[in-house]
Amino acid sequence: MVCQKEPLVQKVCDLYEQISSLESLKPSKDVDMLFTQLVLTCIPPNPIDVNKLCKKIQEMRSKLIRLCGEAEGHLESHFSAILGSYENPLDHLNVFPYYSNYLKLSHLEFNILKQHCTNVPSKVAFVGSGPLPLSSIVLACNHLTATSFHNYDVDPSANSKALQLVTSHPDLSSRMFFHTTDIMDVTSELQEFDVVFLAALVGMDKEEKVKVIDHLAKQMAPGAILMLRSAHGARAFLYPVIDPCDLRGFEVLSVFHPSDEVINSVVIARKYSMPINSIDQQQTGLGSMIVLPNKCCEILAFNPLSHVTMVEELAVEEQHS
């Protein structure tokens, strides 16, 4: 059982106490400093298994993940409002300090999609797109230039800010759509998407996220691609961990665990052609069905100062073994 005597755990606990005592998690000098320290603490590779943490530390970790999500939302909302004040917001995306990370990420994720999609996707969904949906914007502008993008978020103010960014754009205004709804309430509509992206903070703990994954497995079209983000080692103090065996109804194609400054692991999966019930009847343990290709992956170009925007601020570069 791993508990507070572990130096790493002690440091994270100390930072949690300081973060949780802040009056606000909106961008400020103190918020920036504390979250930067937290990320730098969790970045170095560490063999810690968060599943073996004592109950007290497990509870702290769950609360910390939620604080990270709240801070990220404030940061994205802040910069979305700034961008929305311009006549042509998409001409000023570099105002966001981590825009270059999104450019690199979208290019690399596009290359990964090409390896697993036989056709260019005609419709893509982003679940948990937030007020600053840079991944879908960059992919739509630079890579999937004929694809429609459907962005789902439960927060109407987030969608309102996001919509403001593309309304004046002659192309994206006709290809970028925003839906204010809980993805758990979206059913047959999910059949229409070739690719579904699931943001790291949709489902703030493992149980919530698994429920979303199970829902997607029931509703997505057979053969459709699911891309989601997880965490590994000490980085699991920042994000929920999803294991391959949690993706019931999906064939896991690749799992990428970064070893540098990038926080998120990336999981790419394809929905099975058979219904989940049929798979369950044929297998006693779904985890045994998952065969990962013999590939390694390196994730690069993450700015550790981007503490609260790590959901998408990665760059994934796949190397054939």
Side-chain angles (χ1 to χ4, degrees), residues 143-164:
H143 304 293
L144 299 172
T145 56
T147 301
S148 63
F149 288 76
H150 290 254
N151 301 279
Y152 291 86
D153 203 285
V154 296
D155 184 354
S157 65
N159 277 337
S160 178
K161 287 185 173 70
L163 179 62
Q164 180 66 27

Side-chain angles (χ1 to χ4, degrees), residues 33-80:
M33 177 188 69
L34 288 173
F35 277 98
T36 297
Q37 289 182 25
L38 178 63
V39 170
L40 293 176
T41 298
C42 296
I43 279 176
N46 191 296
I48 190 170
D49 182 352
V50 295
N51 293 319
K52 296 180 180 179
L53 297 172
C54 65
K55 183 178 179 180
K56 178 182 177 181
I57 305 303
Q58 287 280 16
E59 292 174 351
M60 180 277 298
R61 172 179 170 259
S62 295
K63 294 175 182 177
L64 182 59
I65 288 173
R66 293 182 184 275
L67 291 172
C68 290
E70 182 181 346
E72 175 183 335
H74 286 309
L75 186 69
E76 291 189 355
S77 183
H78 174 74
F79 279 99
S80 184

Side-chain angles (χ1 to χ4, degrees), residues 186-289:
V186 181
T187 55
S188 59
E189 184 179 327
L190 287 167
Q191 292 266 342
E192 303 172 7
F193 300 111
D194 305 302
V195 182
V196 175
F197 287 80
L198 182 62
L201 294 173
V202 173
M204 297 296 286
D205 58 34
K206 186 166 184 171
E207 290 72 24
E208 292 177 16
K209 190 175 288 290
V210 167
K211 288 180 181 178
V212 175
I213 293 170
D214 286 347
H215 176 72
L216 294 174
K218 293 176 182 177
Q219 302 299 337
M220 286 171 60
I225 293 290
L226 174 65
M227 299 188 71
L228 58 88
R229 292 169 175 82
S230 179
H232 184 68
R235 303 158 191 228
F237 283 107
L238 308 173
Y239 291 102
V241 175
I242 291 298
D243 298 311
C245 60
D246 297 321
L247 277 81
R248 295 173 54 85
F250 290 94
E251 174 194 8
V252 178
L253 304 174
S254 300
V255 178
F256 306 93
H257 291 313
S259 59
D260 60 3
E261 293 85 1
V262 177
I263 302 301
N264 289 104
S265 301
V266 179
V267 182
I268 306 170
R270 177 181 287 117
K271 181 178 173 179
Y272 283 113
S273 298
M274 286 189 296
I276 295 177
N277 290 341
S278 299
I279 296 173
D280 288 343
Q281 292 169 3
Q282 296 180 30
Q283 301 288 334
T284 56
L286 191 60
S288 63
M289 296 177 59

